Amino acid sequence: MNENLAVTLGELQAQIYWLHDAEKFTELALAAASIYKNLGYKEKPAETAGQLISEAYQLCDKADLAEQIGNYNQEIQFYEEVKNKLTEVETVLGYQISIARHQMQWWLHFRHQQKLQILRHLFLQHLKAVGWSNLITALKLTYFLMEIGRVHKQRDLETTRHNAIQYWQELLKTKPQQYPYLG
């Protein structure tokens, strides 16, 4: 496993969360595209995936606003669109196993602060991507992403970066057929 690659990917992943908070969606798309380029995807699919991920983040924010005003139906509609964008990412990247629904679900539950549901969908997202033979790894990846979310909410950039690097170090050890990361 390449340690430098894990550091690069972890730093880009941490950067995405701050770009999202700053509503810098063009830069977010570029950072997401850089992750996929570093993972070996060709430029065009990586850029398309980055743009779709950026659009998914924007739709997630719209879903949050709908939830805040009590419009449940509109919120769910936006989350369905998020799932559709993430499914497009999987298609562009040639993923064989869909994890988009789990990504969308943990984003929804994160916004609603439903910790058990977050854990469930994070775990399923990782388990589907890395397989039963890497069950312990799927648990570790779930833990790292939970920690990333927890410390990000506390606005702790350095710990977020550290956890993201650990996430990628663990993930890259498995040499997965597809990556469970969709943004």
Side-chain angles (χ1 to χ4, degrees):
M1 184 211 36
N2 184 337
E3 287 291 320
N4 291 332
L5 178 59
V7 170
T8 298
L9 296 171
E11 288 175 350
L12 286 165
Q13 182 179 356
Q15 182 184 17
I16 286 172
Y17 300 127
W18 263 261
L19 291 168
H20 173 240
D21 290 348
E23 298 183 2
K24 294 184 176 183
F25 295 108
T26 300
E27 292 89 340
L28 188 154
L30 293 171
S34 292
I35 286 176
Y36 292 108
K37 287 177 194 172
N38 277 285
L39 288 171
Y41 289 91
K42 293 183 178 177
E43 189 166 341
K44 182 64 175 158
E47 288 174 357
T48 301
Q51 183 58 42
L52 289 166
I53 289 167
S54 177
E55 292 170 13
Y57 270 100
Q58 292 170 69
L59 287 165
C60 195
D61 289 348
K62 289 179 180 181
D64 189 44
L65 292 173
E67 190 266 334
Q68 289 175 24
I69 62 171
N71 191 336
Y72 175 77
N73 290 333
Q74 188 178 37
E75 176 193 14
I76 297 306
Q77 180 182 346
F78 281 126
Y79 277 117
E80 280 300 312
E81 290 179 44
V82 166
K83 183 183 67 127
N84 292 341
K85 293 289 181 188
L86 297 174
T87 300
E88 285 184 63
V89 171
E90 293 175 328
T91 300
V92 166
L93 298 177
Y95 281 17
Q96 300 301 307
I97 299 169
S98 181
I99 57 173
R101 182 177 73 82
H102 295 298
Q103 174 86 31
M104 177 275 292
Q105 286 288 332
W106 82 255
W107 279 3
L108 180 150
H109 295 300
F110 184 81
R111 297 279 176 107
H112 287 261
Q113 300 177 355
Q114 298 168 322
K115 292 180 183 171
L116 288 177
Q117 290 298 328
I118 298 167
L119 280 170
R120 177 176 172 250
H121 287 286
L122 274 175
F123 174 71
L124 289 172
Q125 178 178 340
H126 288 94
L127 183 64
K128 282 185 175 182
V130 300
W132 282 100
S133 62
N134 291 300
L135 175 65
I136 300 301
T137 299
L139 289 168
K140 288 178 183 179
L141 295 170
T142 301
Y143 169 78
F144 289 133
L145 268 182
M146 280 296 294
E147 281 299 291
I148 288 167
R150 184 184 66 77
V151 297
H152 174 68
K153 278 178 60 175
Q154 298 171 350
R155 301 299 181 245
D156 181 349
L157 176 59
E158 192 53 43
T159 305
T160 300
R161 184 181 297 125
H162 173 75
N163 286 326
I165 291 168
Q166 286 189 295
Y167 172 88
W168 284 103
Q169 287 172 335
E170 193 65 35
L171 177 58
L172 292 172
K173 287 178 194 175
T174 68
K175 298 180 175 111
Q177 298 273 336
Q178 74 181 47
Y179 295 92
Y181 178 79
L182 291 177

